[in-house]
C-alpha cells in the first residue's frame, strides 16, 4: 500500500516536473547579449543604443515574441573601455550563454571583442564604424556590422565635389580611431576621383583651437576642407573657420550629424556640408522614400518614450536587433544558423538604408546609406540635385 | 622572509588556488574569475608603485607608460615579428627597464612636486607616441590578433587557465616585493624615505637606490602590461592614459602604502567596486576621488592598514580573553 | 710624526659672500678624540659637512688616509671609512631600532635587488650576518630591549646612543659626532661619554663637536678652536683653557669659565 | 604675394599662441600663488579653469545674467570653493608631507572633475564672445575679438597681483608667510588665514582664465589635467615662484605650440611642449630665467 502510494507520488512528481520543464523549454526566452558604452567617453553612443535596445525588445515582446517565445536582453556597460568590453563579452558567452551579441559601441571595443566571439563562435553585430571591423571577411566569420563604412560617405563627398568643380582639397583629421580611418579612406579614394589632396594634417582629439591649422590651409590652393573628427573638435573647427572668415566650403564627417553640433557652433555652422544618415533628417525625407516607414517610426517611438532627440547611433541598435529578430524567427536558437542567416540577409530596410549582405560583405550597404545635407538657417537642408 | 610573512603568503596562495572552484559553484559568481584576473594584473603593477611610493617615498604619476610599453612590446613583437610570446614578454620587461633607467636618472634627482609632474609628463608623452606613431603602434585603433601565451603547446586563453597564470605571476611579484622590503636594498629604501641624509652617511647611494627601485616598478608595470596584452589579445592607447596612472596610484594609496599587501587589497577593491557600484554609472570616478581623499586624510595606512590594525586588535582581544580562562 | 688619519689644508667654504670656513688647516692623529669647539656660527657643522661630503668646499683639500678626498658624494666618502652623526637626530623613525643598525651595516654587505627579490643563494647567509652584526652593535649600547620598537619612539638619550651605534655599524676608521650629548641629562651624558671613549678604545678616531665644555675637557685628547671659520687655537684641553685668544673669543668666557 | 601670406600666417600664429598662452600664464600664476604661501603644488589648478568656464556658461547662458554680473559671480563662487577646499581638505591634515599634499590635491582634482560631470555632463559648452562682432583683420591675419579680452584681462590680472602683493596689507602679509611662517606668526599674521587666502586667490585666478577662454575654445569637464601640466610647465620654465617668469613662460609656451602647429604638425604639438618642459625640469629645474626660484612679483 505504502509502496504503491510512493510510486504514485513519484510518478505524479515526475509528471509535474517533466511538464513543468517542458513548458519552461517551450517558453524559455531567447537570450541576446548587449555590450554598449552606457558610460565613459563614448556614452553619447552607448546611451541611445541602450535605450533603443530596451525599446526594441519591448516592442518584440509586446508583439508576442519570436515564434511565441520572448526575447531577453542581457545588457552590460563597457564604460567605453576596451578591456572591460572583452571581459563582458566573455561573461555574456560563458555565463549568460547568449545566442548572439550586439555591440560594442566603439570601433576600438569592437576590434578588441572580435577574437573572443570568433573563438567562441557566437555571432556579433558591432556598432563600431571602422571598416576594419568587417574586413577582411575571412577573419570576421562571426562578425557583422550595421554602420555604413567611412568609404561610402567619402565617395559621396568626392562625387559631389567633382560635380561642383572642386579638385584640390585640404583634409584635417583628428588623431583618433575615427579620424585615422577617415583619413586613410580619403587618401586612398582621392586618385580614383582625380582629387588632389594639397594639405593633410592631423590634430589631437583634445585640441581647443584650430586657427593655426586653418591658417596654413589658407596658404594653400585648396578649394574645400574636409574635416574628419567627432566630438568637440568638429565644433571648434567650424567656429574657427567662420571666425577666420574663410570662404572655401567646409565638409564635415557624418559624425557632425546631430542638431546639438549646429547649436554649439552658434551660427558658425551655416553652409557646412555633411553626409548624414536618414535618421538625422527623418522629418525631411519624402513619404514615398522606401526608408520612410522605418526611420519615421523609430524617431516617433524613441522620442515619445525617452523625451529626447533620436540619434544616428541608436539607429544602429534598432537595425541590429530587428535583423536578429528576423534571423531567430527564421532559423531558431542556433548560433551558427543565425550567423548563416545574417550573412545572407537581403532587402532588410533599416535606419542605415537597405542591407544586402553576402559571404564577401558583412556590412551590406552602399552609398545610398548617406544623404548630403547643408546647414541652412540653423537646420539641415537636403542638397537637391 | 620571516616565518610570519611566509605564512601569510602561503595561506594567500591557498586561498587564490581554491577561489575559482568556489566561484564556479554558482553561475552568478563564475564571472568574478575574470574580474580576479584584472585584480592580479593590477596587483603586479601596484606592487611596483607600492615599492616606489610606500617604501622609497617617491611618487610616480606615469606608471601607465610602463604598462603600455610592456603591452605594446609584447604585441608588436608577436604580431609583426612572430616572436614567441614568452620572449616578447621578457623583451617588454627589458625595454621598460631600459627606458625606466634612462628616465629615472634625471627624474629621480627631482623631489616631490617636480617628480610628480615630470612622471606625469613622461606618461603623457608615451601616450602621445602610442597614439601618433601609427606605423609602429597602429595609432588610436591599436591592433589585435596578439597570440595567447602557451605552455607546452597549450594556449593559455580560457579565463580559468589565465587566472592561474596571472596569479602565479602576481604571487611571484608579491613575494619578490616582500623579499626586497625585508632585505638589504629594501631597508636602504625605507631608510631614504625617513632621512636621505643619514642614509648617505651610511654609504647608501641615495640617487642610485631610487633609480633602481624605479626600474623595478617599471619592470613590474611592463610584466602586467604584457599579461594584459596576451590576455585581451588586443591593445589600444586608451588603456594606458593618464587616468590609468592615477588608478594605479589610487590602488596603492587606498589599499595602503605601508605594505605591498596594500596593492593587492587596493587592486581588489578598485576592480570589485565598479561591479557593486553599477548604479553610480559614470560617477564611480567621483566615488574613487572621495575614497582617496578620505583615506589620505583620515587613514594614511589605507584599507590594509585598517584591516591589519583591526585584526591585531581582535587577536589581542582574543588572547586576553583566553588568558583569563 | 705619528700616523695621521686626516689632514685638512686651507679649507674654505663661502655661501653667497659669507665665508663660513676660512683657509682652515689642521691634522688629526689616528686613534685620538679631537674636539672641535667654537662659538655659535663658527663653522663647525659646515666643516663636518665638508669632511663627510655633504657640502663641497669652495677651496682647499681634505686628505683622508693619505688620499685626497674627491669632494663628491657623501655615500662614497662613507664607503672610504668616515661615519657621522647629526646635530638634529636623523634616525630612521619608522624603522625598528634593530633595522636602523642593520642599515648601518649597508657597507659591510653587498646583495642587490634581484638576488634579494628571489632569495638567490647567499642572501640568507648575508642577512644572518647582518642580523648578528646588528645585534652585536645593539648590545654595545644596551638597547636590546628596544630592538623591535620603532626608533622614533625611543627616549632622546637612547636615540643619541642608537645613532652612534648605527654609525659604528658601518665599521668606520673615523667618526664625526655632531653634539652627541646636547639635550641629555647627567646620567645620559655619562653613558654617551663612556660610549665615545669605548669608540676610541676600538681604535676608531673621533672628531667631536660639542658645546658642553665639561664633556669636551674630560674626554678630548686634543681640542681645535675655530672662530668665524678660522683656526684660533689647537692643543691639549689644558692648554686651550688657558689660551687668551680662546678666552677672548668666548666673550666673557661663559662656557670655558663654567669648567673651572 | 608669398611674403604677405607668410607674414599674415605668422601674425595669426602669434595671436593664437598669445591667446592660448594667456591661459597657461594665468594657470601658472595660480600655481605660484598657492605654492609661494604653502609650498603645495595644487594639482587641481587646471580644474579651477574648467570650473570657471563652465560656471560662466551656466550664469551667462542658462541664468541669463549680464556678462559682468556673471563674471563676478563666477569669481565669487570660486573664491568660496577655494576656501572650502582649504578648510575641509587641506587644513585637517595632521602630517602635511609633500606626498600627502600631492595626493590630496589629486583627489580634489578627481572630485572637482566628477562633480563637474555630474552638473554639466560630458558635452562641451560654448559661450558667445564678450563683445559680438566679426574678427579684426590685421596684416593678413584675423584676430578674434575675444582674444583681446583674453590678453587684456591677463595683463590686468598681472597688474592686479603686482599691486596686491606689493601694496596691500593682506598681500604683504601673504608674502611674509611665504618667506618665514614662524616670523610672520610672531608679528601676528595668521598663517592658516593667509593659506586660505592663497587658495581663494588661486582658485579665482584659474576661474578667470576659464571664463575668458571659453568663448574661444569651448569648455568641458575633463580638460583640467592638460591645462594643469601646461600651466605647471610654465611655472617651472619661468622659475617656480616667480610671477613675471610665469607670465613670460606661459606666453612663450603658447606661442611655441602655435608655431609648432603652424610649421610642424598639430599632432605633435603637445609632445613638443611636454618635451621642452621635461628638458627644463631635468637640466635647469630653477627655470629658464636664471635663479627665479622664490623671486616674487
Amino acid at each position: 500500500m505504502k509502496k504503491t502510494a510512493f510510486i504514485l507520488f513519484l510518478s505524479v512528481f515526475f509528471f509535474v516536473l517533466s511538464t513543468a520543464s517542458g513548458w519552461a523549454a517551450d517558453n524559455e526566452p531567447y537570450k541576446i547579449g548587449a555590450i554598449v558604452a552606457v558610460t565613459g567617453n563614448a556614452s553619447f553612443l552607448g546611451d541611445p543604443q541602450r535605450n533603443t535596445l530596451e525599446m526594441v525588445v519591448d516592442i518584440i515582446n509586446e508583439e508576442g515574441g519570436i515564434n511565441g517565445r520572448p526575447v531577453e536582453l542581457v545588457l552590460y556597460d563597457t564604460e567605453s573601455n576596451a578591456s572591460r568590453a572583452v571581459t563582458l563579452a566573455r561573461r555574456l558567452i560563458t555565463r549568460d550563454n547568449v545566442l548572439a551579441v550586439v555591440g560594442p559601441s566603439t570601433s576600438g571595443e569592437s576590434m578588441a571583442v572580435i577574437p573572443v566571439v570568433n573563438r567562441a563562435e557566437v555571432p556579433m553585430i558591432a556598432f563600431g564604424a571602422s571598416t576594419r571591423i568587417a574586413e577582411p571577411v575571412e577573419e570576421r566569420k562571426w562578425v557583422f556590422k550595421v554602420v555604413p563604412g567611412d568609404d561610402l560617405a567619402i565617395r559621396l563627398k568626392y562625387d559631389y565635389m567633382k560635380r561642383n568643380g572642386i579638385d584640390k582639397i585640404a583634409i584635417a583629421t583628428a588623431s583618433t580611431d575615427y579620424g585615422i580611418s577617415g583619413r586613410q579612406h580619403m587618401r586612398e579614394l582621392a586618385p580614383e576621383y582625380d582629387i588632389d589632396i594639397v594639405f593633410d594634417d592631423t590634430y589631437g582629439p583634445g585640441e581647443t583651437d584650430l586657427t593655426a591649422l586653418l591658417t596654413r590651409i589658407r596658404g594653400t590652393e585648396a578649394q574645400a576642407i574636409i574635416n574628419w573628427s567627432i566630438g568637440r573638435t568638429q565644433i571648434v573647427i567650424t567656429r574657427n573657420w567662420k571666425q577666420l572668415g574663410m570662404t572655401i566650403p567646409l565638409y564635415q564627417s557624418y559624425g557632425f550629424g546631430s542638431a546639438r553640433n549646429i547649436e554649439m557652433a552658434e551660427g558658425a555652422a551655416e553652409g557646412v556640408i555633411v553626409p548624414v544618415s536618414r535618421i538625422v533628417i527623418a522629418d525631411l525625407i519624402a513619404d514615398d522614400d522606401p526608408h520612410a516607414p522605418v526611420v519615421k517610426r523609430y524617431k516617433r517611438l524613441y522620442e515619445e518614450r525617452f523625451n529626447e532627440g533620436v540619434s544616428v547611433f541608436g539607429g544602429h541598435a534598432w537595425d541590429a536587433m530587428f535583423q536578429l529578430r528576423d534571423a531567430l524567427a527564421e532559423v531558431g536558437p542556433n548560433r551558427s544558423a543565425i550567423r548563416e542567416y545574417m550573412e545572407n540577409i537581403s532587402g532588410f530596410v533599416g535606419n542605415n538604408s537597405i542591407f544586402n549582405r553576402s559571404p564577401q560583405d558583412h556590412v551590406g550597404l552602399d552609398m545610398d546609406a548617406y544623404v548630403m545635407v547643408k546647414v541652412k538657417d540653423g537646420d539641415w537642408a537636403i542638397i537637391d540635385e | 622572509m620571516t616565518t610570519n610573512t611566509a605564512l601569510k603568503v602561503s595561506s594567500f596562495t591557498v586561498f587564490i588556488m581554491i577561489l575559482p572552484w568556489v566561484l564556479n559553484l554558482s553561475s552568478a559568481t563564475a564571472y568574478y574569475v575574470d574580474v580576479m584576473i584584472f585584480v592580479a594584473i593590477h596587483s603586479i603593477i601596484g606592487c611596483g608603485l607600492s615599492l616606489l611610493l610606500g617604501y622609497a617615498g617617491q611618487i610616480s604619476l606615469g606608471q601607465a607608460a610602463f604598462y603600455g610599453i610592456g603591452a605594446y612590446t609584447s604585441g608588436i613583437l608577436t604580431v609583426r615579428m612572430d616572436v614567441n610570446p614568452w620572449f616578447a614578454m621578457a623583451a617588454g620587461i627589458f625595454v621598460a627597464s631600459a627606458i625606466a633607467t634612462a628616465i629615472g636618472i634625471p627624474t629621480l634627482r627631482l623631489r616631490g612636486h617636480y617628480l610628480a609632474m615630470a612622471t606625469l609628463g613622461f606618461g603623457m608623452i608615451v601616450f602621445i607616441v602610442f597614439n601618433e606613431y601609427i606605423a609602429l603602434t597602429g595609432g588610436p585603433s591599436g591592433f589585435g590578433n596578439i597570440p595567447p601565451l602557451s605552455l607546452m603547446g597549450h594556449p593559455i586563453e580560457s579565463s580559468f587557465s589565465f587566472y592561474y597564470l596571472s596569479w602565479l605571476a602576481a604571487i611571484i611579484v608579491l613575494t619578490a616585493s616582500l623579499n626586497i622590503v625585508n632585505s638589504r636594498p629594501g631597508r636602504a629604501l625605507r631608510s631614504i624615505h625617513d632621512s636621505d641624509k643619514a642614509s648617505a652617511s651610511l654609504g647608501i647611494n641615495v640617487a642610485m637606490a631610487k633609480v633602481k627601485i624605479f626600474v623595478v616598478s617599471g619592470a613590474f608595470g611592463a610584466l602586467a602590461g604584457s599579461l594584459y596584452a596576451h590576455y585581451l589579445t588586443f591593445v589600444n592607447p586608451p588603456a594606458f592614459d593618464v587616468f590609468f596612472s592615477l588608478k594605479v596610484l589610487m590602488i596603492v594609496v587606498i589599499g595602503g602604502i605601508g605594505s605591498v599587501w596594500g596593492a593587492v587589497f587596493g587592486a581588489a577593491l578598485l576592480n570589485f567596486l565598479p561591479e557593486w557600484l553599477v548604479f553610480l554609472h559614470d560617477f564611480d570616478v567621483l566615488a574613487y576621488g572621495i575614497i582617496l581623499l578620505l583615506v589620505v586624510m583620515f587613514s594614511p595606512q589605507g584599507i590594509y592598514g585598517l584591516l591589519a590594525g583591526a585584526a591585531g586588535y581582535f587577536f589581542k582581544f582574543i588572547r586576553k580573553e583566553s588568558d583569563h580562562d | 710624526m705619528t700616523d695621521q688619519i686626516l689632514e685638512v689644508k686651507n679649507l674654505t667654504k663661502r655661501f653667497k659672500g659669507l665665508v663660513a670656513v676660512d683657509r682652515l688647516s689642521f691634522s688629526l692623529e689616528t686613534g685620538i678624540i679631537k674636539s672641535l669647539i667654537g662659538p655659535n656660527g663658527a663653522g663647525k657643522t659646515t666643516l663636518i659637512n665638508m669632511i663627510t661630503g655633504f657640502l663641497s668646499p669652495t677651496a682647499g683639500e681634505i686628505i683622508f688616509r693619505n688620499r685626497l678626498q674627491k669632494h663628491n658624494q657623501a655615500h662614497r666618502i662613507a664607503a672610504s671609512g668616515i661615519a657621522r652623526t647629526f646635530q638634529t637626530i636623523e634616525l630612521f623613525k619608522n624603522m625598528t631600532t634593530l633595522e636602523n643598525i642593520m642599515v648601518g651595516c649597508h657597507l659591510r654587505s653587498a646583495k642587490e635587488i634581484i638576488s634579494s627579490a628571489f632569495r638567490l643563494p647567499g642572501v640568507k647567509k648575508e642577512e644572518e650576518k647582518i642580523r648578528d652584526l646588528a645585534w652585536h652593535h645593539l648590545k654595545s649600547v644596551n638597547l636590546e630591549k628596544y630592538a623591535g620598537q620603532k626608533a622614533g619612539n625611543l627616549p632622546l638619550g637612547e636615540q643619541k646612543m642608537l645613532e652612534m651605534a648605527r654609525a659604528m655599524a658601518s665599521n668606520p676608521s673615523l667618526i664625526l659626532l655632531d653634539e652627541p650629548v646636547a639635550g641629555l641629562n647627567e646620567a645620559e651624558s655619562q653613558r654617551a661619554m663612556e660610549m665615545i671613549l669605548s669608540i676610541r678604545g676600538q681604535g676608531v678616531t673621533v672628531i667631536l663637536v660639542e658645546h658642553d665644555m665639561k664633556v669636551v675637557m674630560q674626554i678630548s685628547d686634543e681640542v681645535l678652536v675655530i672662530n668665524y671659520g678660522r683656526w684660533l687655537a689647537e692643543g691639549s684641553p689644558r692648554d686651550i683653557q688657558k689660551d687668551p685668544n680662546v678666552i677672548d673669543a668666548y666673550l666673557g668666557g661663559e662656557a670655558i669659565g663654567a669648567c673651572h | 604675394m608669398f611674403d604677405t601670406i607668410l607674414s599674415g600666417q605668422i601674425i595669426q600664429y602669434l595671436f593664437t599662441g598669445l591667446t592660448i598662452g594667456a591661459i597657461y600664464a594665468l594657470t601658472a600664476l595660480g600655481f605660484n600663488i598657492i605654492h609661494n604661501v604653502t609650498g603645495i603644488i595644487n594639482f587641481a589648478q587646471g580644474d579651477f579653469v574648467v570650473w570657471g568656464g563652465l560656471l560662466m556658461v551656466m550664469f551667462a547662458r542658462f541664468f541669463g545674467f549680464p556678462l559682468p554680473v556673471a563674471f563676478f559671480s563666477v569669481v565669487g563662487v570660486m573664491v568660496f570653493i577655494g576656501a572650502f577646499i582649504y578648510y575641509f581638505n587641506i587644513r585637517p591634515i595632521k602630517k602635511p608631507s609633500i606626498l600627502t599634499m600631492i595626493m590630496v590635491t589629486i583627489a580634489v582634482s578627481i572630485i572637482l572633475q566628477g562633480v563637474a560631470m555630474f552638473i554639466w555632463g560630458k558635452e562641451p559648452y560654448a559661450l558667445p564672445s564678450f563683445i559680438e562682432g566679426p574678427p579684426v583683420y590685421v596684416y593678413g591675419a584675423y584676430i578674434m575679438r575675444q582674444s583681446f579680452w583674453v590678453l587684456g584681462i591677463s595683463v590686468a590680472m598681472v597688474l592686479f597681483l603686482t599691486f596686491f602683493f606689493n601694496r596691500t596689507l593682506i598681500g604683504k602679509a601673504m608674502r611674509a608667510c611665504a618667506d618665514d611662517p614662524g616670523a610672520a606668526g610672531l608679528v601676528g599674521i595668521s598663517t592658516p588665514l593667509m593659506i586660505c587666502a592663497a587658495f581663494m586667490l588661486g582658485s579665482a585666478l584659474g576661474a578667470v582664465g576659464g571664463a575668458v577662454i571659453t568663448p574661444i575654445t569651448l569648455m568641458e569637464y575633463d580638460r583640467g589635467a592638460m591645462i594643469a601640466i601646461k600651466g605647471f610647465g610654465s611655472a617651472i620654465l619661468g622659475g617656480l615662484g616667480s610671477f613675471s617668469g610665469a607670465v613670460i613662460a606661459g606666453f612663450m609656451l603658447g606661442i611655441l605650440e602655435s608655431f609648432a602647429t603652424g610649421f610642424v604638425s598639430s599632432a605633435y604639438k603637445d609632445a613638443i611642449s611636454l618635451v621642452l618642459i621635461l628638458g627644463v625640469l631635468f637640466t635647469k629645474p630653477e627655470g629658464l630665467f636664471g635663479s627665479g626660484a622664490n623671486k616674487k612679483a
Side-chain angles (χ1 to χ4, degrees), chain A residues 1-300:
Chain A
M1 186 63 197
K2 251 183 182 172
K3 211 174 180 179
T4 335
F6 182 68
I7 290 171
L8 198 69
F9 170 77
L10 262 189
S11 21
V12 170
F13 180 80
F14 275 106
F15 176 75
V16 171
L17 200 70
S18 61
T19 49
S21 61
W23 176 80
D26 275 347
N27 271 286
E28 197 185 306
Y30 289 140
K31 265 194 188 175
I32 309 279
I35 34 176
V36 287
V38 181
T39 61
N41 295 327
S43 61
F44 66 101
L45 303 171
D47 192 55
Q49 285 163 355
R50 188 233 355 234
N51 290 344
T52 305
L53 289 172
E54 286 172 352
M55 183 175 85
V56 173
V57 167
D58 286 351
I59 292 171
I60 293 170
N61 288 335
E62 275 161 28
E63 287 171 354
I66 303 169
N67 299 335
R69 286 168 63 172
V71 172
E72 185 189 332
L73 181 72
V74 187
L75 185 139
Y76 298 127
D77 174 14
T78 64
E79 298 164 18
S80 313
N81 174 340
S83 40
R84 213 163 148 66
V86 168
T87 314
L88 293 170
R90 292 181 182 209
R91 180 179 180 176
L92 283 175
I93 294 163
T94 55
R95 177 179 128 179
D96 302 312
N97 204 17
V98 297
L99 290 167
V101 174
V102 294
S105 306
T106 65
S107 297
E109 293 166 297
S110 305
M111 292 303 294
V113 171
I114 287 169
V116 178
V117 294
N118 269 341
R119 212 175 295 137
E121 309 200 323
V122 177
M124 169 171 99
I125 308 175
F127 301 154
S130 169
T131 44
R132 295 185 311 146
I133 294 170
E135 283 169 16
V137 79
E138 311 81 63
E139 291 170 22
R140 302 289 186 266
K141 191 174 173 200
W142 294 86
V143 182
F144 300 92
K145 207 180 127 197
V146 285
V147 187
D150 300 337
D151 49 336
L152 301 178
I154 289 160
R155 282 176 184 282
L156 197 66
K157 274 187 203 175
Y158 280 178
D159 216 40
Y160 177 80
M161 285 174 165
K162 282 311 272 187
R163 277 183 279 118
N164 286 281
I166 294 171
D167 53 13
K168 289 192 173 60
I169 62 165
I171 65 173
T173 49
S175 56
T176 59
D177 197 18
Y178 182 76
I180 299 293
S181 163
R183 176 164 177 249
Q184 195 185 337
H185 287 115
M186 283 192 277
R187 288 157 57 116
E188 272 169 21
L189 292 171
E192 198 181 311
Y193 288 82
D194 228 358
I195 280 176
D196 194 8
I197 296 176
V198 295
F199 175 91
D200 174 9
D201 199 6
T202 60
Y203 52 82
E207 202 59 66
T208 56
D209 188 332
L210 289 162
T211 45
L213 185 130
L214 288 172
T215 305
R216 282 167 69 201
I217 294 179
R218 204 211 290 276
T220 68
E221 297 177 297
Q223 296 160 303
I225 309 164
I226 302 182
N227 173 58
W228 204 273
S229 67
I230 203 156
R232 182 201 334 150
T233 46
Q234 53 186 349
I235 303 165
V236 170
I237 201 165
T238 308
R239 290 165 65 105
N240 290 163
W241 170 69
K242 187 62 101 194
Q243 281 156 346
L244 292 180
M246 293 182 80
T247 48
I248 56 174
L250 174 63
Y251 289 69
Q252 292 272 15
S253 71
Y254 56 85
F256 196 74
S258 150
R260 186 176 154 78
N261 288 327
I262 301 182
E263 185 195 314
M264 293 288 304
E266 305 192 303
E270 281 301 301
V272 168
I273 300 168
V274 202
V276 294
S277 282
R278 283 189 177 70
I279 188 70
V280 176
I281 45 160
D283 298 331
L284 302 178
I285 56 177
D287 284 337
D288 60 349
D289 187 308
H291 306 89
V294 173
V295 172
K296 293 190 177 193
R297 179 179 177 217
Y298 171 49
K299 183 179 164 75
R300 180 173 51 80

Side-chain angles (χ1 to χ4, degrees), chain C residues 83-133:
Chain C
R84 69 170 293 182
T85 64
F86 296 84
Q87 195 178 346
T88 50
I89 303 172
E90 295 279 344
L91 284 176
F92 309 127
K93 294 192 204 71
N94 295 308
M95 299 172 76
T96 66
T97 302
L98 184 67
E99 280 176 327
N100 264 270
I101 300 185
M102 287 167 87
V103 177
C105 301
H106 190 84
L107 286 167
R108 298 160 87 174
S109 46
K111 295 294 179 209
E112 273 303 340
I113 284 187
I114 294 185
S115 44
S116 303
F118 299 106
R119 284 287 185 261
L120 297 183
V123 171
K124 199 174 170 196
K125 212 170 151 194
E126 187 181 273
E127 278 293 305
E128 276 168 10
K129 186 187 100 185
I130 293 175
R131 196 165 285 272
D132 290 347
L133 270 172

Side-chain angles (χ1 to χ4, degrees), chain B residues 1 172 176 179-180 182-185 187-188 190-191 194-195 197-205 212-213 216, chain C residues 54 74-75 78 84 86 90 92-95 99 102-103 106-107 109-113 116-117 119 127 130 166:
Chain B
M1 205 187 305
I172 290 174
N179 281 341
I180 292 174
N182 290 311
S183 61
R184 177 177 179 266
R187 282 189 301 269
R190 285 149 64 200
S191 76
D194 279 350
S195 165
K197 268 161 55 183
S199 305
S201 81
L202 296 168
I204 294 166
N205 186 341
K212 280 179 189 160
I213 205 67
V216 169
Chain C
F54 282 82
H75 67 93
R84 69 170 293 182
F86 296 84
E90 295 279 344
F92 309 127
K93 294 192 204 71
N94 295 308
M95 299 172 76
E99 280 176 327
M102 287 167 87
V103 177
H106 190 84
L107 286 167
S109 46
K111 295 294 179 209
E112 273 303 340
I113 284 187
S116 303
R119 284 287 185 261
E127 278 293 305
I130 293 175
R166 185 182 67 184

Side-chain angles (χ1 to χ4, degrees), chain C residues 42-220:
Chain C
K44 301 178 299 262
T45 299
T46 308
L47 178 61
I48 288 203
N49 282 340
M50 281 191 285
I51 296 172
T52 50
F54 282 82
L55 280 175
S56 47
T58 317
E61 288 176 351
I62 299 167
I63 295 156
F64 176 63
R65 292 207 287 201
N66 298 323
R67 280 176 60 186
L68 185 70
Q69 289 279 25
K70 303 263 184 304
H71 317 293
N72 39 19
Q73 293 145 311
H75 67 93
R76 293 229 178 127
I77 291 188
S80 73
I82 301 181
R84 69 170 293 182
T85 64
F86 296 84
Q87 195 178 346
T88 50
I89 303 172
E90 295 279 344
L91 284 176
F92 309 127
K93 294 192 204 71
N94 295 308
M95 299 172 76
T96 66
T97 302
L98 184 67
E99 280 176 327
N100 264 270
I101 300 185
M102 287 167 87
V103 177
C105 301
H106 190 84
L107 286 167
R108 298 160 87 174
S109 46
K111 295 294 179 209
E112 273 303 340
I113 284 187
I114 294 185
S115 44
S116 303
F118 299 106
R119 284 287 185 261
L120 297 183
V123 171
K124 199 174 170 196
K125 212 170 151 194
E126 187 181 273
E127 278 293 305
E128 276 168 10
K129 186 187 100 185
I130 293 175
R131 196 165 285 272
D132 290 347
L133 270 172
W135 271 110
H136 166 76
H137 285 280
L138 198 62
K139 280 182 191 148
S140 75
V141 284
N142 296 317
L143 289 177
E144 302 100 298
K145 65 177 172 200
Y146 295 111
Q149 279 196 33
K150 285 210 173 146
N153 298 340
L154 263 55
L156 181 74
E158 312 290 15
Q159 292 197 6
K160 291 250 176 192
M161 297 302 285
L162 175 59
E163 210 185 4
M164 278 192 266
R166 185 182 67 184
M168 283 302 290
S170 70
N171 203 17
S173 46
L174 170 65
I175 186 167
L176 294 91
L177 306 173
D178 201 349
E179 304 198 11
V181 301
L184 301 189
N185 65 29
E186 197 68 24
E188 289 169 336
S189 292
Q190 197 57 43
R191 269 183 70 200
M193 277 160 62
E194 282 162 19
M195 171 74 183
I196 296 167
L197 290 171
S198 102
I199 289 174
R200 182 184 62 182
Q202 293 163 49
V204 178
T205 314
V206 179
I207 291 183
L208 174 68
V209 172
E210 191 46 68
H211 276 294
D212 187 333
M213 286 305 145
K214 210 167 104 192
V215 173
V216 171
M217 298 305 159
Q218 219 170 323
I219 64 173
S220 306

